[in-house]
């Protein structure tokens, strides 16, 4: 049965904010980092020591709109909610938080987002932990993420697949939890569909099919509230994938800044064995830093991904999905 995903709410005068500032779907909100000498409990496990992990380590998520956030500690201090963003290649920290923690400057840099780029800095990082798990990484990109920045109010940072190491993990947006596994004792989920996971510059891509049996690669992006984003050259070459050439213009925002994009609908998207119809889609130029393969044509965001329980094993280039 074809499925029509739930659409994002419009904000402003005819604009859709694709990086949704949705209200929390869980019962409690994550607290922002506090000043002073407050300390977090030290983590018991480290992604750099995967053989010492328990069989399963579950970490609660907070779903804001459709995007997953995790209560985080930085350098042993509670730091508030970090976005779990499979479309991020590095750890990013809000500028105010980095200043509060006095993270040392390593170098200035430019940060490339899906829709824009922004000036920031690279700073040293001693430890980044979520619950009982210390993540990988000793530096972080620093840029404005909170109110007035590229993120949402109380967004204190971002981390992606690389910070979780090479071992297996599950993102379950429906149940609001992240589960990390001991790779030596990991068993793939029963009755889940398995397919190839392609990693390009640390970003995860999967095969999907659009209207007209156009087989493409889409990047999995839990940090994007949108259903689908397609690169403009592909749409110009294959206009039949859309229901109409253009419906409206919208403001897309995220790490790196914001920009105006065109909004239309994909007639049919088939991914992970499930079919979606009339999928709201943003159309924009391909960022220069993303995979330039002619069949790598865009991203699939949290609005679609929340319909699946997604298990990845990056070291084996495999992904398992269970429809919800």
């Amino acid at each position: 049965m074809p499925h029509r995903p739930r659409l994002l709410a419009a904000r402003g005068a005819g604009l859709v904010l694709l990086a949704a500032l949705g209200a929390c779907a869980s019962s409690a909100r994550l607290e922002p980092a506090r000043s002073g000498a407050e300390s977090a409990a030290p983590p018991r496990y480290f992604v750099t020591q995967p053989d010492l992990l328990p069989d399963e380590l579950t970490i609660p998520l907070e779903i804001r709109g459709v995007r997953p956030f995790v209560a985080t500690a930085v350098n042993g201090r509670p730091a508030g909610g970090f976005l779990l963003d499979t479309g991020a290649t590095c750890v990013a920290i809000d500028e105010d938080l980095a200043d509060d923690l006095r993270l040392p400057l390593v170098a200035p840099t430019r940060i490339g987002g899906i829709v824009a780029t922004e000036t920031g800095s690279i700073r040293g990082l001693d430890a980044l932990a979520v619950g009982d798990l210390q993540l990988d990484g000793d530096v972080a990109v620093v840029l404005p993420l909170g109110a007035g920045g590229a993120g949402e109010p109380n967004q204190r940072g971002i981390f992606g697949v690389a910070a979780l190491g090479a071992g297996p993990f599950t993102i379950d947006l429906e149940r609001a939890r992240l589960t990390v596994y001991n790779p030596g004792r990991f068993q793939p989920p029963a009755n889940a569909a398995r397919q190839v996971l392609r990693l390009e510059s640390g970003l995860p891509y999967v095969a999907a099919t659009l209207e007209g049996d156009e087989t493409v690669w889409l990047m999995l992006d839990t940090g994007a509230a949108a259903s689908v984003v397609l690169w403009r050259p592909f749409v110009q070459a294959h206009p039949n994938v859309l229901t109409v050439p253009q419906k409206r213009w919208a403001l897309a925002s995220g790490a790196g800044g914001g920009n105006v994009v065109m909004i239309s609908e994909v007639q049919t998207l088939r991914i992970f064995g499930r079919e979606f119809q009339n999928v709201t889609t943003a159309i924009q130029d391909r960022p220069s830093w993303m995979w330039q393969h002619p069949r790598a044509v865009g991203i699939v965001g949290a609005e679609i991904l929340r319909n699946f329980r997604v298990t990845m094993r990056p070291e084996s280039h495999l992904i398992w999905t269970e429809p919800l």
Side-chain angles (χ1 to χ4, degrees), residues 38-290:
E38 181 183 2
S39 297
R44 299 169 58 194
Y45 306 104
F46 301 80
V47 296
T48 54
Q49 299 174 344
D51 293 340
L52 300 181
L53 289 172
D55 289 359
E56 297 184 7
L57 179 62
T58 298
I59 298 161
L61 302 175
E62 176 197 356
I63 307 301
R64 302 183 188 176
V66 292
R67 302 192 304 162
F69 286 76
V70 190
T72 306
V74 175
N75 292 357
R77 284 181 50 186
F82 274 45
L83 175 65
L84 170 52
D85 183 359
T86 57
T89 59
C90 59
V91 173
I93 292 179
D94 177 60
E95 189 173 53
D96 289 342
L97 175 61
D99 290 343
D100 184 39
L101 295 172
R102 299 181 181 178
L103 300 183
L105 177 66
V106 175
T109 189
R110 294 282 291 173
I111 297 96
I114 293 295
V115 295
T117 59
E118 185 168 347
T119 299
S121 62
I122 299 174
R123 304 202 198 181
L125 184 67
D126 291 334
L128 174 66
V130 292
D132 265 343
L133 183 66
Q134 181 162 314
L135 305 181
D136 197 9
D138 56 6
V139 295
V141 169
V142 173
L143 71 163
L145 288 174
E152 66 165 78
N154 295 328
Q155 179 173 337
R156 307 299 273 168
I158 299 169
F159 70 93
V161 171
L164 295 171
F169 61 89
T170 296
I171 299 174
D172 188 338
L173 299 181
E174 182 69 21
R175 297 182 182 176
R177 63 191 189 188
L178 165 70
T179 304
V180 179
Y181 305 94
N182 183 306
R185 298 192 290 273
F186 169 72
Q187 294 294 326
N191 303 318
R194 188 186 78 169
Q195 69 181 76
V196 171
L197 176 71
R198 180 150 187 169
L199 295 174
E200 295 291 336
S201 301
L203 296 175
Y205 288 80
V206 297
T209 305
L210 301 177
E211 182 71 23
D213 292 328
E214 295 289 348
T215 301
V216 298
W217 290 97
L218 296 177
M219 191 260 283
L220 303 182
D221 192 353
T222 57
S227 297
V228 173
V229 179
L230 292 179
W231 310 141
R232 197 183 317 276
F234 172 78
V235 172
Q236 291 172 339
H238 304 275
N240 61 301
V241 301
L242 303 179
T243 58
V244 293
Q246 175 187 328
K247 292 190 69 175
R248 61 188 182 275
W249 295 95
L251 175 64
S253 70
N259 209 339
V260 175
V261 300
M262 190 176 74
I263 299 296
S264 185
E265 290 183 348
V266 163
Q267 294 192 53
T268 304
L269 167 67
R270 289 184 289 276
I271 187 169
F272 301 142
R274 194 165 179 180
E275 182 175 297
F276 300 85
Q277 292 185 345
N278 302 325
V279 182
T280 301
T281 300
I283 300 164
Q284 64 168 76
D285 293 330
R286 185 205 314 255
S288 60
W289 51 270
M290 292 194 71

